[in-house]
Amino acid sequence: MEKGLGVCVTINRSKVVIVGAGLVGSSTAFSLITQGVCDEVMIIDINKNKAHGEVMDLCHCVEYLNRNVKVTEGDYKDCEDADIVVITAGAPPKVGQTRLDTLELSAKIAKAIVEPIMSSGFRGHFIVVSNPVDVIAHYVYKLSGLPKNQVIGTGTAMDSARLKYFIGDLMHIDPRSVQAYTMGEHGDSQMCPWSLVTVGGKRFIDILEDNREFDEVNLDELVRRVTRVGFDILEVKGTTCYGIATTVSGIIKAILNDENKIIPVSTLLEGEFGEKDVFCGVPVILNRSGVQDIVEVHMTVEELEKFKKSIGVIRDYTNKIEI
Ligand code: NAD
C-alpha cells in the first residue's frame, strides 16, 4: 500500500429526507438546496411521479448554486442513515376549515409513514410540519418511540416569524431586531407573552406607551393577524409554502450546525409551565441533540392563563386520536 493511502478518514454526510413532495415539501427541498444546508436531500411521496418530477427539477439547480447538494428520490428503507426526516405529507385545510379539521387524515398518514421509517433503523430527528402540528408531533413521538428531544413540531416558529415581521413593519425596523414569539397551539388559540417582547432591548409595551404614533396599536389584533394570515394566503393561493419552508430550513440548520439557537417549536412538556404530556410551541434551545432545553420564560398571570387555555385546546385534540 502506498504511503498515505491507508488512513481511513470518516467524513459524515448530512442527509435530510422530506416525506411529502407537495408545495411545502418541495419548497423546503428548494430552500435547503439553495442555502446548501446539507449534503443530500431525499424526497419520498406516495405519488412517486410527483417525487420523481420534483427531484428531476431540483437536480438542475446545482450548476448555479454554491454547493453540489445531491437530490434523490427514495423509499422508507433509505431513511436508515438520515439525520433528519421532515414530515410534510398531508393536505392543507380547505377554505373554511381550521388546521384541527385535518387531524384525522394527517394522523392516518403519519401512522403509515412512521412505522416503515422506524423499521428502516432510522434513529435521527423527526421534524413534523403536517397539521395540526402539535397533535401530529405528539403522535409521531409516541409512534416512533424516539426520545422526546428528537421529535420536533414546527409549532409556533412560523407564527413567530410572522409576528416579528408585523412588528418590524409597524416600526420600520428589521424583523430580525425584534425579539418576540407566540406560544401554545399553532392555531387560533396561540398567544403572545407581550411582557417579554423587546425591540433593540426596549420592551414593546414601553415603546407603545412612549410613542403617540402607536396609540392605535391593538395587541390582541396583532396576534389575531398572526393566526389569520395563513388563511388569508390560503384563500388567494391555496396554501402557504415559502415561509414554512424557510422556517424548516432554519430549524434544520440549528440542528445540523449545532447552533444552540433559540426557536419556538412544538416539544413535549414534562412539568414545564406546570404542564405535562402535551406538545406545544415554546422557546427551546436547538442543537445537534434536537431540543436541548426548554426556555421556561416567566409570564404574567394573565399571559400564563392564555397559554394554559391554548394547551387545553391541543390536549382536547390529542385525546381524540388513539396514542
Ligand atoms: P400538498 O397537498 O401540496 O402536499 C401533500 C403531499 O403529501 C402530496 O404530494 C401527497 O401526495 C403527499 N402524501 C399524502 N399522503 C402521503 C403518504 N401516505 N405518504 C407520503 N406522501 C403522502 O400539501 P402542502 O400544502 O404541501 O401541505 C402539507 C402539510 O403541511 C399540510 O398538513 C399543511 O396543513 C401543513 N402545513 C403546515 C404548516 C406549519 O406551520 N406547520 C404550514 C403550512 C402547511
Side-chain angles (χ1 to χ4, degrees), residues 19-25 45-47 50 76 88-93 106 109 113 129-131 133 154 158 186 239-240 244:
V19 183
L23 268 161
V24 173
D45 198 291
I46 196 167
N47 179 344
K50 176 88 170 91
Y76 294 118
T88 74
S106 291
I109 293 174
I113 290 169
V129 185
S130 307
N131 277 316
V133 69
T154 49
M158 171 75 259
H186 167 59
T239 188
T240 67
I244 183 62

Side-chain angles (χ1 to χ4, degrees), residues 272-283:
E272 296 86 356
F273 304 100
E275 296 286 343
K276 56 180 191 195
D277 206 28
V278 68
F279 265 69
C280 80
V282 287

Side-chain angles (χ1 to χ4, degrees), residues 211-268:
N211 294 280
R212 300 211 56 185
E213 63 183 292
F214 299 133
D215 275 357
E216 301 298 308
V217 174
N218 178 324
L219 297 181
D220 290 337
E221 177 56 21
L222 265 176
V223 177
R224 204 192 66 82
R225 269 182 82 192
V226 168
T227 59
R228 297 314 308 166
V229 72
F231 294 97
D232 295 342
I233 300 169
L234 201 86
E235 248 177 66
V236 287
K237 63 167 272 191
T239 188
T240 67
C241 54
Y242 303 124
I244 183 62
T246 318
T247 301
V248 175
S249 297
I251 293 170
I252 293 175
K253 270 191 274 184
I255 295 172
L256 293 180
N257 299 336
D258 202 23
E259 285 179 354
N260 287 316
K261 189 176 169 78
I262 296 178
I263 302 181
V265 296
S266 196
T267 189
L268 182 70

